[in-house]
Structure formats: C-alpha cells, structure tokens
Amino acid sequence: MEEIKTTDAANLEVFSEVLQSLAATDRDITVVTSDSRGSGKLVPFGQKYPEQIVEVGIAEQNLVGVATGLASMGKKAFAVSPACFLTARALEQIKNDVAYSDNAVKLIGISAGVSYGALGTTHHSLHDYAVLRAINNITIVAPADNYETAEAIKQAAEMQSPIYLRFGKKAMPANLNSNAADFKIGKGRIIQEGSDLTFIATGEAVLPCVEAAQLLKKEYNISCKIISLHTIKPLDTELLLAAAENKKPIITVEEHSINGGLGEAVASLLFQNGCSNKFKIIGLPDDHTVSGSQTEIFNHYGISAEGLRNTAINLLNL
Amino acid sequence: MHIAELKRKSIESRKKILKYIYNAKAGHTGGSLSIVDILNVLYNNVMNVSPENFSSKTRDMFIQSKGHSVEALYVVLADKGFFPEEDLLSLCKYNSPYIGHPTKSIPGIEQNTGGLGHGLPICAGAALAAKRDNSSVKVFTILGDGEMAEGSNWEAMMFASHYKLDNLCAILDYNKLQITAPNADVMGLEPIDKKLEAFGWAVAHVDGHNLEELSQTLNSLPLESGKPTFIIAHTTKGKGVSYMENVLKWHHGVPSKEQYDLAIAELDKELQELETVLK
C-alpha cells in the first residue's frame, strides 16, 4: 500500500500559524483562550501579539460570552477551547449569545473527537456535530488536511456569521488532493473520483477512507469516490445528491457519535430525495467508548483502512 | 435631564408598562416596575446613546441581563425615539418582533438576552475591546438578584477585575424577590457587597428608585480607578402600584381590568401631585 505522506503538522498547528499570519496585518484578529493556549499551540501567538490574545482562565461560559462582547465591538474573535468543554459547558452561550444573537464569533474546538484518547469520555467530543446541527445560524466545519484547515481559518476570519471549527491533534497530510485547490466553506471537496462506492467523511476520518480506498483498489479492483464533507452544516446538497445518482453504496465516516452527526445528516438528505443507495454510517456507537489512543479507538470501531475495507466488502456483497 | 422631568417620565413609563402588559395579557410586571427608574436614568442622564448614534462605535452600550423585564426597556427605548411607541401594541402577539425578551431586531437593543447569567460576560468582553481600542465607551448591564446564583456571572466578575475594566458598570436590581420566594429562602446572596468587593469590584449601595441618587452615582464612574463598578440598587418589585409592591405573584402577573384601572388611577394621582409640586 502506498503510504500517504503526512506533514509534521497537526491541523491545530496549522491553525496557529495561519492565525499569526492573519494577525500580522489585522489587529482585530483576537484569540480568546480558557487556559488553553498551550494545548491550542497559541503560545507563539500570545508572545507576538499580546494585545490580541485574551485569557479567561478555565471558564468556558465566560470564554464564549467574552468572545461575543469582543465581536460586538468589531473584533474577529476566535474562542479557542477543547471541543469537549466548548460545545458542552458553553452550549447555552453558543446557542444564545453567538447563534441566536448572530455574533460572528469563531468557535474553535481543539483536540476534538477522541484526540485525547486515553484521557477518556470527559475529554472526548462525540456530541458536538449533533448539538450544533440542531441550533439555527451556525456553520460547522471539520477540515481533513492542512490545506483545508488553512483555508477554513482564512475564510472564517472574514465570515460575518457564527462558525464552529473543529481540529484534532494528530499530524495530517498537507493536502489529500493537491488538484482540488478550491476549498470553500459550504462546498464539499472531492478527494478522488471513483465508480463503485462512495466514502463521505469529515475531519480526521477522511484519511482512513483514502487508505481504505487504496486497499480496495489493490485487493478487489474496487474504485472508490471520496468526498471530504468538511462542512457538516450547511450541507452541500448538490454535491451529495449528485454523488448518490450512480446508485452505488455510500459509507459515511466521522469521529463522532453515529447519532446526529454527519451520517444522519447525509442519510436524511438522500432518503428525503428518493435515493435508495445502500448506506452505512461509521462512527462511534452509542456505547461507553473503549479506552486507548485515538488510533486504537479508531481501529476498534472500524474507522481504519481495514475496518472500512471490510464495511465496503460487506456492502458490495463481495 | 432635570430630575423633575425624570420623575414625570418615571411615572409615565410605569403607566405604559402596565398598558402594554395589560394589552398583551403577558409580561414581567414586577421586575419591569423595579428597574424602570434605573433605565430612565441610564438612557436620559448617563449613557451616550440615541437613535442617531446607535450605529456608531462610540456609543455607550447597555445589555439587559435580566431580559425578562423587557417591557421596561421597550418603553424607555420608545420614549428615546428608537421606535414608535404604538408598536408595543403587538407585544407578545403572533409574529411580533416585540417578544418577551430583548432581541437585536428591535432598534436600540444590543444583544438577545433572556437566558440568565449571559449579560455580564458579554459586557466584560465589550468593555475589554473598548479598553484595547483606547475608546471611551462605557458598558452597562442590569442583573436580577435571582440571577446572581448563575456561575457565569462570577466567572465574568473574576475576569472584569483581572482586566481592570473600570469602564464596566453592573447594576443589581435588588428587589429581594425571585419567582419562587424571597432570595433569602431560595439562595441567599448576603453579604453580597462583601462578595463583590472580594471579587475586586468597587461597590456602592443606592436607592434604586431615587432618581437623583442614581444619576449622581452613575455619573461618578468609575467609583475606583482600575476597578469595575457594581451598583447594588435596592428596589421594590412592583414599585409604584400599591397592591403589587413586594407581592410575589406580580413577578409575571397580569392585572385584570379592575386592577389595571386601579393601578392607572394611582399613577395618575401621583402624576397630579408631582405637577402640583412642580408648579
């Protein structure tokens, strides 16, 4: 199997670098942290731009409230906190102060999904897509690679409406498809074309799909299409309905509960539009999450090259 | 604005609050009557804000954390000319923008509030932004006493003193009653002044219905340089209507026709007495 090259950069590190480059020419760029500047790789940002970083201490409700106040005064406020705390502890502030009040706060969920691995469920965010999908007026984005991350940050900085961006800690490829340099929030990105089966995935779950597609090609000569659906809300309905037209099986993959996330969003769209493709949602089941590293947890639940190959073989009746 | 004129406004505002709540058959009567004097002082004698400058970055900012007492805010904003007062006939009606909590869709309102414990963190962020921009903007909020049990307020209080936000003023509407019972029975606040001081705030007690005292105190901010200000405004829930004052059921009670007429008669009498004194 051809090894997919990753850079040394986690999407989180890319976030920090891009933000520093934006802050160099835009003094309204303001980062708000909840004792999270270390885990957010934002120490250099704080050193370079002390007047553009705000520390609130371990107080996530205040984090979002303060970011809202900053945004109301014209600051491009990035509220940065581990996704698990940001989207649970401060959910009412996200719902009322950011989304309902339509303040263009950029909510940055770091070390998302099961990035914290063996630290356990308190530190996992497997609910964030689900809860935020049910809130009006917020865009949800989980970039797959360094390129998507950098573009997402740049576009988020200029957005006039609320956005939630979610990153992991693990090193990711620089670009999963350097021919698709047209990242746009709200538009899915085709990582590769294929005719037998379609993977629709988001965030760090895209990479295992690419690896699984290589296995399927090599072992079964199966050709897979892969879509990085980095924007979970609003859904790119045009791209998704077009992808379902070939009536081939679809597998959705996400680092999130199988309840209420990417898979159910796509299923709802396709079913209501009369699609009858075979369909499988891969994510974390409604169960106590197994302990282990992020990779071990991914492997355990089949979010891996082998696991996804097996799911594909079953769907294709091979 | 002269205090006598403010006194007239204060009584007229109470009549309007009752009128629109009676018409809507809904509203937070007691709390609106409790904060309307503070609002009239803020909007007429303290804050640099008007329909003309509302889109300017230099306006002073008010966010009502106790969003449920929105009727008082609507009446004061209408009086300031932000929107026609008769709009309030649609209060709480189907498809009206004038819902039972503040929303930005209404001219003059800064943020959507209603969930408790949200105003102070937002104000703290705005005050910090003003500081960093070397702006003279002052930021105000009114909190309910029941709302002080929300942990987010105390997070914001730590933050505001840490960042020395002396351009921030929080006003406690201390009428000592919340929806279930007196604060003292639900979740005691005392000694609230010592708690606020311990969190690094400059604290003053005022009579929340004494327009002169309110004007004087709110125009002497910051009380201490480098510290945010907390004004503990001692108020009366249902203030101005004899049978509503300090009576729990008027938290969101709506008067009957007889009760409404009686309340208006009382306020009219007060207005007449004021006019006599002024002459």
Side-chain angles (χ1 to χ4, degrees):
Chain A
M1 185 171 87
E2 179 197 342
E3 196 186 336
I4 295 155
K5 288 201 179 85
T6 58
T7 60
D8 285 328
N11 289 343
L12 184 56
E13 289 166 316
V14 175
F15 159 68
S16 174
E17 284 160 23
V18 172
L19 215 52
Q20 286 177 62
S21 70
L22 293 175
T25 55
D26 186 347
R27 67 176 303 274
D28 283 333
I29 297 280
T30 305
V31 169
V32 195
T33 53
S34 52
D35 200 16
S36 47
R37 79 176 70 188
S39 31
K41 309 289 178 201
L42 290 163
V43 173
F45 184 101
Q47 286 163 345
K48 268 196 204 163
Y49 307 105
E51 283 297 298
Q52 289 172 250
I53 190 162
V54 180
E55 177 61 68
V56 304
I58 306 170
E60 290 79 13
Q61 298 183 75
N62 198 41
L63 172 88
V64 178
V66 163
T68 299
L70 289 161
S72 76
M73 296 290 280
K75 301 294 181 194
K76 293 170 183 170
F78 286 77
V80 185
S81 185
C84 51
F85 310 129
L86 179 65
T87 60
R89 192 114 184 194
L91 183 60
E92 191 178 271
Q93 279 73 17
I94 294 174
K95 166 180 164 269
N96 293 354
D97 305 349
V98 178
Y100 177 47
S101 274
D102 193 26
N103 288 297
V105 173
K106 299 101 179 55
L107 300 156
I108 309 295
I110 59 173
S111 304
V114 293
S115 293
Y116 281 122
L119 295 187
T121 293
T122 54
H123 283 60
H124 295 166
S125 53
L126 300 173
H127 64 280
D128 48 348
Y129 301 156
V131 295
L132 297 179
R133 276 183 65 220
I135 290 173
N136 169 242
N137 193 35
I138 187 163
T139 298
I140 307 170
V141 175
D145 55 27
N146 294 169
Y147 161 72
E148 288 189 8
T149 303
E151 292 303 308
I153 298 295
K154 290 181 216 161
Q155 291 174 24
E158 299 309 318
M159 268 178 72
Q160 300 299 312
S161 60
I163 181 167
Y164 171 67
L165 285 163
R166 179 215 229 233
F167 308 118
K169 281 158 43 126
K170 194 177 164 192
M172 282 290 123
N175 191 335
L176 285 164
N177 179 6
S178 46
N179 296 321
D182 55 351
F183 178 91
K184 192 164 181 292
I185 287 173
K187 294 285 164 204
R189 184 162 162 256
I190 294 171
I191 301 299
Q192 68 177 56
E193 288 290 357
S195 50
D196 300 319
L197 179 136
T198 302
F199 285 111
I200 299 170
T202 193
E204 297 190 6
V206 178
L207 178 59
C209 296
V210 177
E211 294 166 342
Q214 289 178 356
L215 282 184
L216 286 161
K217 183 77 195 167
K218 189 176 163 200
E219 296 172 359
Y220 296 90
N221 199 30
I222 295 294
S223 151
C224 298
K225 178 170 180 161
I226 302 171
I227 295 173
S228 168
L229 200 70
H230 46 75
T231 306
I232 293 138
K233 194 182 151 194
L235 273 186
D236 185 351
T237 54
E238 199 183 340
L239 181 77
L240 292 169
L241 291 172
E245 261 175 19
N246 64 8
K247 304 194 186 307
K248 297 298 166 86
I250 291 172
I251 301 173
T252 67
V253 193
E254 62 199 299
E255 188 180 358
H256 185 275
S257 166
I258 54 169
N259 294 333
L262 166 84
E264 286 194 353
V266 174
S268 166
L269 172 80
L270 299 187
F271 193 55
Q272 291 185 80
N273 281 277
C275 304
S276 55
N277 309 54
K278 284 188 172 180
F279 196 89
K280 181 74 184 168
I281 296 173
I282 299 294
L284 283 285
D286 187 5
D287 202 352
H288 293 298
T289 302
V290 73
S291 59
S293 68
Q294 182 192 35
T295 304
E296 288 164 338
I297 295 171
F298 270 29
N299 289 338
H300 185 86
Y301 296 112
I303 309 172
S304 61
E306 291 74 20
L308 293 171
R309 174 200 57 193
N310 295 344
T311 300
I313 290 167
N314 282 336
L315 276 189
L316 292 161
N317 297 319
L318 293 174
Chain B
M1 183 175 288
H2 195 269
I3 295 297
E5 178 57 25
L6 211 50
K7 279 183 180 164
R8 185 182 289 125
K9 239 182 223 316
S10 176
I11 302 169
E12 280 165 354
S13 299
R14 290 193 154 80
K15 287 179 64 182
K16 291 175 193 171
I17 289 168
L18 292 166
K19 173 181 169 183
Y20 295 110
I21 287 177
Y22 177 67
N23 179 70
K25 299 281 176 270
H28 283 82
T29 317
S32 285
L33 295 172
S34 180
I35 65 165
V36 72
D37 292 327
I38 302 167
L39 285 175
N40 265 323
V41 169
L42 280 175
Y43 276 91
N44 294 298
N45 273 15
V46 178
M47 289 198 302
N48 170 34
V49 66
S50 65
E52 293 70 39
N53 79 353
F54 193 69
S55 56
S56 135
K57 278 187 94 172
T58 58
R59 73 183 183 277
D60 288 337
M61 187 181 277
F62 171 75
I63 296 172
Q64 189 166 309
S65 194
K66 54 171 301 183
H68 53 280
S69 299
V70 70
E71 294 84 11
L73 182 61
Y74 284 154
V75 159
V76 170
L77 290 177
D79 184 60
K80 280 289 279 187
F82 277 100
F83 52 84
E85 191 197 305
E86 56 268 28
D87 282 7
L88 295 175
L89 287 167
S90 73
L91 174 68
C92 288
K93 306 277 191 205
Y94 174 68
N95 213 17
S96 166
Y98 295 88
I99 67 167
H101 287 107
T103 59
K104 289 162 88 169
S105 59
I106 306 301
I109 292 183
E110 297 276 0
Q111 295 293 342
N112 301 359
T113 52
L116 296 173
H118 286 250
L120 195 54
I122 302 173
C123 287
L128 179 66
K131 284 267 176 199
R132 290 200 168 173
D133 287 347
N134 294 315
S135 148
S136 61
V137 164
K138 290 201 277 290
V139 184
F140 296 86
T141 183
I142 298 181
L143 298 95
D145 44 19
E147 170 177 18
M148 291 301 282
E150 291 281 8
S152 52
N153 284 328
W154 300 88
E155 293 181 5
M157 276 187 248
M158 288 177 79
F159 177 90
S161 61
H162 181 86
Y163 284 96
K164 303 183 179 6
L165 301 179
D166 60 7
N167 54 346
L168 171 63
C169 174
I171 303 165
L172 178 63
D173 172 30
Y174 200 12
N175 60 40
K176 300 163 192 79
L177 282 179
Q178 58 193 99
I179 193 165
T180 302
N183 311 143
D185 295 342
V186 179
M187 186 50 59
L189 270 70
E190 290 299 333
I192 188 65
D193 48 4
K194 291 196 173 60
K195 289 175 187 170
L196 300 171
E197 279 162 9
F199 271 68
W201 288 58
V203 180
H205 289 268
V206 300
D207 173 347
H209 301 299
N210 183 326
L211 302 168
E212 205 151 10
E213 193 184 350
L214 280 169
S215 290
Q216 210 166 36
T217 308
L218 291 169
N219 278 309
S220 331
L221 302 179
L223 296 182
E224 257 183 80
S225 177
K227 283 188 177 184
T229 300
F230 224 114
I231 304 288
I232 301 174
H234 294 269
T235 52
T236 301
K237 203 158 187 168
K239 174 73 179 177
V241 179
S242 60
Y243 62 87
M244 289 185 182
E245 289 190 359
N246 292 316
V247 177
L248 194 61
K249 75 166 185 178
W250 294 104
H251 176 86
H252 49 22
V254 175
S256 67
K257 174 80 173 75
E258 294 70 29
Q259 287 168 326
Y260 173 70
D261 290 343
L262 181 61
I264 296 298
E266 280 185 24
L267 291 164
D268 277 339
K269 189 167 167 243
E270 206 185 323
L271 207 51
Q272 265 176 3
E273 284 164 7
L274 178 70
E275 301 298 349
T276 315
V277 174
L278 293 180
K279 271 178 199 163

